[in-house]
Each structure stands twice: as C-alpha cells, then as structure tokens.
C-alpha cells in the first residue's frame, strides 16, 4: 500500500498554528518577566521617595512639614505621606490603601497606587547612652504614590501582547485563506488537466469512429446477407458476426456522441413529457412522476435521460422510477432503480471508458455528464436507503423557476 504524501495546502494551517502558538507563548513568557520588572520599578520609585523623605525629615532647620513635602513631590506621583515616631503619627494627603506595614521595609501595590514603608535606624546620640536608658523604637516612614515607570512598562508590554495576539489571529486567517486558494488552484489545475485529457481522447475517438464506421457498415451488411442464406454452422457464425458488428456500431455511435460539440439549441421543455417519451417503449416498467420545465436542448437532454434509464434497467429490469421536480432555483430529474446499488468506486462512474458491466462501453454516464455540464448543471450518483441507486440531474434556471 503506497504512502500518501502530505500536500503543502494541508500542512500550511498546522505550520501557522505552531507559529501563532510560538508567538503568543513568547509574549506570555515576556509578560511574566515584565511583571517582575514592574515590581522592581515600583520598589525603585518607592526607595527614591523614601530617601527624599528621610533626608527631608533630618534637615537642620525647624520641625518637618509633611504638607510641604507632599506638595513638592506631587509631580512624582506622591499622594500620601506619614511619619510615626514615639507613638505619634503625622500625615499629609489621603490614603487609598489598607495595608498594614510589616517588617522593616516593603512596598505593596493596591488600587492602582503603591504603599511603601521603611523603618530607618534611630539616630545614635553623641557619647555613651545614659545608664538604664530604654531603647528607642525606630520611626516609621510611609507613603503612597502613583507609579510611573512600572505603569508605562506594563502598558507597553500589554500593547505588545495585544499586537502579537492580533498578529497570531491574522496569521491563522491568512494561512486558512491561502490554503483555500491553493486548494482552489490545485482543483483548477486538475480540472484543466482532466479537460485536456478528455479533449485529446475525444479527438482520437472521433478519428477512430469515423475510420471504423464505413468498413464496419460494409462488414455488417455482408454478414446480414450471409445470415439470410446460410444454414447450420455457417448460420451461427454469421449471426455471431452480425452481433459483434452491431456491438461495434453501438460503440462508434457512443464515441461520436461523446465527442459531439456545437452550441445548444435551448427551448422551453416540459421535462415530464420528455421523460415520458423516453419511458414509453418500456411500458409500465419505467414510471414517471412529478412535473417541471426548463430551458434545455431537448435532443441532448433526451439522450442523457435515455442513457440513465438504460443503465437503471440493466441493474433493475422490473422497476425503474423517474421523478421530475422543481426546487428553489433548479429543476431536477432523478432516475432510481432497485438494483445492487453503486460499486465502491462510484467516484469513477462518470469517467470515460469506466464501466462496471460486462457488456457496457463505459461511455453512457460520461455522455450524460458531458451533456449536463454543457447545460451548466450537475449530475450525481446516490445510494438509496431502500436499496438500489439513483442518479440526479440538476438543471439551474436562467431566470427563476418555470412551469
């Protein structure tokens, strides 16, 4: 069993998915690093403000004025400052957090602001401490500020993450669009190659049919004359020659029908009446139901229906049903039988010279498809739930439903 090679159009979406995952994953890793950098930026800004506060509080002139310090540093995002010393607390501004300081130093982000604190070591007095002096409790410096560096860093990182997400989505959409384009191109190339092969086959078939037809007619005529006068063994041989000549004549006729070209002569045709004309020679075996009309070449469409009916009778000699119907924008002709159903290779039914009958030429369904394609329609084969097969011709309307 051969190994099926993956087509580039099939691999492209998977490559795009991997690329998109890698792109988003790299930015997720970068985002976690940015979070650490944001915390470091908050701590850096907090240390800078606490250092300023420490130096401000230890200036040699007068008592500290926290309101003045707050006003001087509002441009740096400072919104609240407090000092706790010897059980007394002094503050300026309005606090927006509920963080309780723990330890000697810290910084916590809450409600969009950073609360930072520090317990600076007490100032050591000159000379030895007095005997039995109680140790001084270190002061607590605390402040709240709106971070600048961390917010800008986080905003830029979020913008980059969103851009990478949009790029990943666009990459996926572009890959799927490109996949569809490649598949359409491959199908167009296959269809063009198929038509080229059919054209070459048609030219060859037309030449062979014309070259064979005249000598075949002569052979058949002489065999029929011999059949009229022969007896015994000679009669059987003559009958065999006539039968084979008729089979060859049918094959050449089908070949000429297959390669038949020319513009369609469309007229408004009652499809039910056309199907009844095809079914009339078979009596009650072929039943026709429904009604519809369409603009078709009556002669060629009759030939297409005839071929389908002959095939159905070959599979189901006692019962064939033809149903004509109208849908929203098309007319349909369904030919159903109660035979053994479709073969496993049903996709090849409409290929020239593909036959699953011992006596078939392999051109009947190919002719049907060629005629229907010329009308801008389609033909498909289906397996019937009740057993057997059905072939459905769909003929689109040029100007809406008729009949």
């Amino acid at each position: 069993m051969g190994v099926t090679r993956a087509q580039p159009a099939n691999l492209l979406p998977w490559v795009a998915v991997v690329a998109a995952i890698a792109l988003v994953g790299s930015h997720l890793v970068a985002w976690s690093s940015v979070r650490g950098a944001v915390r470091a930026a908050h701590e850096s800004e907090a240390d800078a403000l606490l250092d300023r506060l420490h130096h401000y509080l230890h200036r040699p002139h007068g008592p500290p004025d926290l309101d003045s310090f707050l006003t001087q540093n509002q441009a740096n995002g400072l919104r609240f400052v407090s000092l706790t010393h010897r059980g007394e607390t002094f503050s300026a501004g309005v606090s927006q957090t509920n963080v309780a300081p723990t330890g000697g130093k810290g910084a916590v982000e809450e409600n969009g602001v950073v609360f930072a604190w520090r317990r600076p070591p007490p100032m050591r007095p000159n000379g030895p401490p007095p005997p039995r002096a109680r140790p001084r409790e270190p002061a607590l410096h605390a402040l709240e500020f709106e971070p600048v560096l961390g917010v800008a860093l986080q905003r830029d990182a979020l913008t980059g993450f969103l851009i990478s997400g949009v790029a990943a989505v666009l990459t996926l959409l572009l890959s799927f669009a490109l996949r569809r384009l490649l598949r359409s191109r491959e199908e167009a190339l296959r269809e063009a190659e198929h038509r080229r092969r059919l054209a070459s086959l048609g030219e060859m078939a037309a030449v062979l049919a014309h070259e064979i037809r005249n000598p075949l007619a002569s052979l058949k005529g002489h065999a029929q004359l011999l059949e009229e006068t022969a007896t015994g063994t000679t009669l059987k041989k003559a009958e065999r020659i006539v039968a084979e000549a008729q089979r060859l004549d049918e094959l050449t006729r089908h070949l000429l029908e297959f390669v038949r070209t020319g513009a369609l002569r469309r007229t408004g045709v009652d499809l039910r009446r056309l199907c009844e004309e095809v079914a009339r020679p078979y009596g009650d075996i072929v039943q026709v139901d429904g009604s519809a009309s369409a603009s078709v070449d009556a002669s060629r469409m009759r030939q297409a229906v005839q071929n389908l009916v002959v095939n159905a009778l070959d599979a189901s000699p006692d019962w064939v049903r033809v149903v004509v119907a109208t849908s929203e924008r098309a007319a349909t002709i369904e030919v159903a039988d109660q035979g053994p159903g479709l073969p496993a290779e049903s996709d090849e039914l409409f290929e020239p010279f593909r036959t699953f009958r011992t006596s078939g030429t392999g051109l009947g369904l190919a002719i049907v498809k060629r005629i229907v394609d010329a009308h801008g329609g389609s033909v498909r084969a289906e397996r019937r739930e009740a057993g057997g097969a059905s072939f459905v011709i769909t003929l689109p309307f040029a100007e809406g439903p008729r009949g």
Side-chain angles (χ1 to χ4, degrees):
M1 195 174 174
V3 179
T4 302
R5 299 180 62 182
Q7 297 294 329
N10 296 329
L11 293 177
L12 185 61
W14 295 106
V15 174
V17 168
V18 172
I21 292 175
L23 181 62
V24 175
S26 65
H27 276 80
L28 286 176
V29 173
W31 177 257
S32 63
S33 301
V34 166
R35 292 298 300 169
V38 168
R39 287 191 294 270
H42 291 346
E43 293 174 358
S44 176
E45 288 186 82
D47 287 340
L49 288 172
L50 287 170
D51 287 343
R52 291 180 189 176
L53 178 61
H54 180 75
H55 292 303
Y56 181 80
L57 294 175
H58 289 84
R59 291 189 304 177
H61 57 80
D65 183 0
L66 295 183
D67 288 322
S68 176
F69 178 79
L70 178 64
T71 302
Q72 293 174 13
N73 290 276
Q74 280 184 340
N76 297 320
L78 189 64
R79 297 294 178 263
F80 171 77
V81 60
S82 72
L83 168 64
T84 301
H85 184 61
R86 294 182 180 181
E88 293 187 64
T89 301
F90 307 92
S91 65
V94 180
S95 176
Q96 301 181 27
T97 64
N98 296 310
V99 180
T102 58
K105 178 183 177 182
V108 177
E109 182 180 5
E110 186 179 286
N111 298 328
V113 297
V114 176
F115 178 80
W117 69 92
R118 182 192 294 171
R119 298 182 187 273
M123 297 294 292
R124 180 174 296 179
N126 296 328
R132 297 182 181 179
R134 300 176 62 182
R136 294 183 178 180
E137 181 182 356
L140 175 65
H141 298 169
L143 50 82
E144 291 180 10
F145 64 94
E146 295 179 0
V148 178
L149 296 177
V151 171
L153 183 63
Q154 190 171 3
R155 182 178 61 249
D156 293 343
L158 181 60
T159 302
F161 181 73
L162 292 176
I163 291 175
S164 69
V166 172
V169 172
L170 291 178
T171 299
L172 290 175
L173 294 177
L174 181 62
S175 68
F176 281 104
L178 188 58
R179 179 193 183 195
R180 292 187 61 182
L181 181 62
L182 289 175
R183 282 193 168 182
S184 300
R185 182 174 179 273
E186 290 174 359
E187 291 176 0
L189 290 175
R190 283 197 298 267
E191 183 66 21
E193 177 63 18
H194 181 68
R195 291 181 178 178
R196 186 191 65 79
R197 290 173 56 194
L198 287 182
S200 300
L201 183 63
E203 293 176 3
M204 180 184 67
V207 172
L208 287 176
H210 282 293
E211 293 295 328
I212 292 174
R213 205 166 192 185
N214 289 334
L216 180 62
S218 177
L219 176 64
K220 179 181 176 183
H222 285 80
Q224 287 174 334
L225 290 176
L226 181 62
E227 184 182 16
E228 293 176 358
T229 58
T231 59
T233 305
T234 305
L235 176 60
K236 292 182 179 180
K237 292 181 179 181
E239 291 174 347
R240 179 67 180 273
I241 294 173
V242 171
E244 293 299 325
Q246 289 175 342
R247 191 175 70 85
L248 288 174
D249 183 61
E250 182 183 4
L251 176 60
T252 56
R253 181 174 56 82
H254 281 175
L255 284 172
L256 291 175
E257 290 174 352
F258 177 72
V259 300
R260 181 182 177 185
T261 58
L264 296 176
R265 298 180 179 179
R266 290 178 179 266
T267 56
V269 175
D270 185 333
L271 296 180
R272 179 188 176 102
R273 182 176 300 175
L274 182 146
C275 293
E276 287 176 342
E277 293 174 0
V278 173
R280 188 172 296 117
Y282 306 105
D284 296 335
I285 297 176
V286 180
Q287 304 172 11
V288 180
D289 295 321
S291 63
S293 61
S295 177
V296 297
D297 186 315
S299 174
R300 296 195 187 183
M301 192 54 58
R302 186 181 295 106
Q303 181 184 358
V305 176
Q306 174 74 36
N307 287 1
L308 292 181
V309 169
V310 170
N311 274 11
L313 287 169
D314 184 73
S316 174
D318 299 326
W319 184 90
V320 172
R321 186 182 183 189
V322 181
V323 179
V324 181
T326 301
S327 62
E328 183 180 358
R329 296 292 299 170
T332 60
I333 303 173
E334 178 184 5
V335 179
D337 62 61
Q338 293 179 333
L342 298 176
E345 306 87 347
S346 57
D347 293 340
E348 303 176 356
L349 284 173
F350 298 100
E351 293 292 325
F353 303 108
R354 297 282 183 151
T355 181
F356 299 93
R357 297 185 298 165
T358 56
S359 60
T361 62
L363 288 172
L365 292 178
I367 293 172
V368 172
K369 187 175 189 311
R370 194 176 179 91
I371 293 173
V372 175
D373 287 346
H375 283 80
S378 63
V379 58
R380 67 182 187 276
E382 299 176 345
R383 292 179 174 85
R384 299 179 66 238
E385 294 182 0
S390 68
F391 290 81
V392 182
I393 295 175
T394 302
L395 301 169
F397 293 128
E399 300 176 355
R402 299 177 178 85

